[in-house]
Amino acid sequence: MPATSVWTRRHLLALADFTPLEYDAVLTTAVSFQAVLAGRTKKVPALQGQVVANLFFEASTRTRSSFELAAKRLSADSLNFAPGSSSLTKGETILDTAKTYWAMGANILVIRHQQAGVPGAIAAEMDRLSSGVRVLNAGDGQHEHPTQGLLDLFTLCTSIDPQNPRLELLAGKKIVIVGDILHSRVARSNLWSLTAAGADLHLVGPPTLLPPQFAQLAPVHLHWDLGPALEGADFVMTLRLQKERMSDNLLPSLREYHQRYGITRDRLQVCGPTVKVLHPGPVNRGVELSSDLMDDPRLSLIPQQVTSGVAVRMALLYFLGGEQPV
Ligand code: NCD
């Protein structure tokens, strides 16, 4: 079984303070779980008897399902909470909902919420009560989406060295993140992991969706024009336009957005010869990237991102639920 010795976190809330050792521990452990998933039984007993509750207060397809599958592959029991049909509609608070799951025996709460900070607040309350419950942030508002950041990192590193992914593989690689950076928790988590890896990181988007302040967060290059940003790129990470988080009219039209910032086969001509395209999903086909590109296995790593998600989330659940850190 993979070693948990470098893992000392009680909760996984963000990548902002992740260390290179932690990144490498996740990458190595996810490779072991990928081997389990490729095997015949596809399951290990690591979390037998433990309960993983998925508390998703916001819509999700791949994150929720892959957490559920990851928990099952580790032999944990998983519970799924649906806010629309829950006691939230009767006035129960989110903290009381979390405590209800704790009282039922949940060991790990996987939380997604439209408001930044909610998983952190629940983690603090769980600690205050000495509950022993671990909290895993599955995306909070515009703050962070650490498991997406880690599965993106795993996908990038395994595309270079499938058996031995490690942070240093991305040192000096030109990685371009394109689109709605402002509203993207995925971009924020990727910013931390990719700068920790020493990648040559470039952000590009319309001025309304890429404020200059991003350059103060980490060593990144900002662009408002796609062409120069893409020159010589090794990887292009596209992001969904988060219309549900846009309070004002920040875009002229989706057509114009695609014309200026949409990734197409033609646009990729200026990139490096082995360029690959990623997208965390869900994709607006023909907006963030052209439909044919998305389905081209020579250029798109999008299916690999989804596949990686299960092994990476197994590693994280294993770290949080396995040997309990003190
Ligand atoms: C992302 C999210 O929810 O932040 N999706 C995901 O988890 N795969 C990105 C998005 O919604 O655009």
Side-chain angles (χ1 to χ4, degrees), residues 284-306:
N284 295 304
R285 277 183 186 261
V287 179
E288 295 106 26
L289 75 167
S290 63
S291 200
D292 64 312
L293 195 57
M294 186 176 161
D295 299 327
D296 185 339
R298 285 163 308 166
L299 289 167
S300 164
L301 288 177
I302 298 169
Q304 283 88 326
Q305 286 174 280
V306 177

Side-chain angles (χ1 to χ4, degrees), residues 250-279:
L250 297 176
L251 284 171
S253 72
L254 293 185
R255 219 174 122 222
E256 192 174 331
Y257 176 84
H258 182 68
Q259 271 164 8
R260 295 206 54 198
Y261 298 100
I263 302 298
T264 60
R265 217 174 274 278
D266 253 12
R267 285 257 167 77
L268 292 180
Q269 304 265 339
V270 298
C271 295
T274 60
V275 67
K276 298 274 186 287
V277 177
L278 296 90
H279 191 302

Side-chain angles (χ1 to χ4, degrees), residues 53-112:
N54 292 316
L55 273 51
F56 278 59
F57 298 91
E58 196 198 79
S60 171
T61 302
R62 59 218 90 210
T63 306
R64 199 193 54 68
S65 301
S66 80
F67 265 116
E68 185 179 353
L69 189 55
K72 288 182 167 149
R73 297 298 200 204
L74 292 167
S75 307
D77 295 308
S78 60
L79 297 172
N80 285 313
F81 157 87
S85 56
S86 75
S87 291
L88 280 182
T89 58
K90 301 182 186 169
E92 185 169 75
T93 68
I94 294 169
L95 280 180
D96 283 336
T97 304
K99 285 183 211 165
T100 301
Y101 278 90
W102 169 40
M104 227 177 275
N107 305 92
I108 301 178
L109 303 179
V110 178
I111 298 169
R112 166 170 287 195

Side-chain angles (χ1 to χ4, degrees), residues 23-318:
Y23 284 116
D24 279 337
V26 173
L27 294 173
T28 314
T29 307
V31 170
S32 327
F33 284 127
Q34 210 176 34
V36 169
L37 294 171
R40 209 171 53 85
T41 52
K42 304 192 188 304
K43 263 194 169 182
V44 286
L47 296 196
Q48 207 156 37
Q50 297 214 28
V51 177
V52 177
N54 292 316
L55 273 51
F56 278 59
F57 298 91
E58 196 198 79
S60 171
T61 302
R62 59 218 90 210
T63 306
R64 199 193 54 68
S65 301
S66 80
F67 265 116
E68 185 179 353
L69 189 55
K72 288 182 167 149
R73 297 298 200 204
L74 292 167
S75 307
D77 295 308
S78 60
L79 297 172
N80 285 313
F81 157 87
S85 56
S86 75
S87 291
L88 280 182
T89 58
K90 301 182 186 169
E92 185 169 75
T93 68
I94 294 169
L95 280 180
D96 283 336
T97 304
K99 285 183 211 165
T100 301
Y101 278 90
W102 169 40
M104 227 177 275
N107 305 92
I108 301 178
L109 303 179
V110 178
I111 298 169
R112 166 170 287 195
H113 199 278
Q114 56 277 14
Q115 218 172 308
V118 167
I122 294 176
E125 181 68 358
M126 288 296 139
D127 287 350
R128 195 184 64 79
L129 297 167
S130 304
S131 69
V133 170
R134 315 280 149 169
V135 173
L136 223 154
N137 178 7
D140 61 331
Q142 296 172 206
H143 174 226
E144 279 224 40
H145 192 348
T147 64
Q148 182 72 40
L150 291 168
L151 77 86
D152 288 345
L153 184 71
F154 183 80
T155 307
L156 292 166
C157 292
T158 49
S159 80
I160 300 170
D161 188 344
Q163 291 313 317
N164 189 13
R166 56 205 186 276
L167 204 57
E168 66 180 29
L169 291 171
L170 299 183
K173 296 281 181 213
K174 180 166 180 182
I175 304 180
V176 186
I177 305 184
V178 187
D180 183 0
I181 315 270
L182 176 65
H183 299 102
S184 175
R185 53 195 176 207
V186 176
R188 282 174 182 76
S189 290
N190 278 327
L191 191 85
W192 302 123
S193 59
L194 300 176
T195 53
D200 175 21
L201 187 58
H202 295 250
L203 309 181
V204 54
T208 47
L209 300 178
L210 175 56
Q213 291 87 307
F214 269 83
Q216 287 158 19
L217 289 178
V220 291
H221 306 271
L222 304 192
H223 304 260
W224 292 276
D225 276 328
L226 189 59
L230 291 181
E231 270 169 35
D234 296 295
F235 296 101
V236 179
M237 306 179 84
T238 51
L239 296 173
R240 187 174 64 86
L241 289 175
Q242 314 252 318
K243 281 174 271 173
E244 73 277 19
R245 298 190 214 287
M246 294 185 193
S247 44
D248 305 314
N249 237 348
L250 297 176
L251 284 171
S253 72
L254 293 185
R255 219 174 122 222
E256 192 174 331
Y257 176 84
H258 182 68
Q259 271 164 8
R260 295 206 54 198
Y261 298 100
I263 302 298
T264 60
R265 217 174 274 278
D266 253 12
R267 285 257 167 77
L268 292 180
Q269 304 265 339
V270 298
C271 295
T274 60
V275 67
K276 298 274 186 287
V277 177
L278 296 90
H279 191 302
V283 178
N284 295 304
R285 277 183 186 261
V287 179
E288 295 106 26
L289 75 167
S290 63
S291 200
D292 64 312
L293 195 57
M294 186 176 161
D295 299 327
D296 185 339
R298 285 163 308 166
L299 289 167
S300 164
L301 288 177
I302 298 169
Q304 283 88 326
Q305 286 174 280
V306 177
T307 307
S308 303
V310 181
V312 169
R313 291 182 171 117
M314 282 175 82
L316 297 165
L317 290 173
Y318 172 74

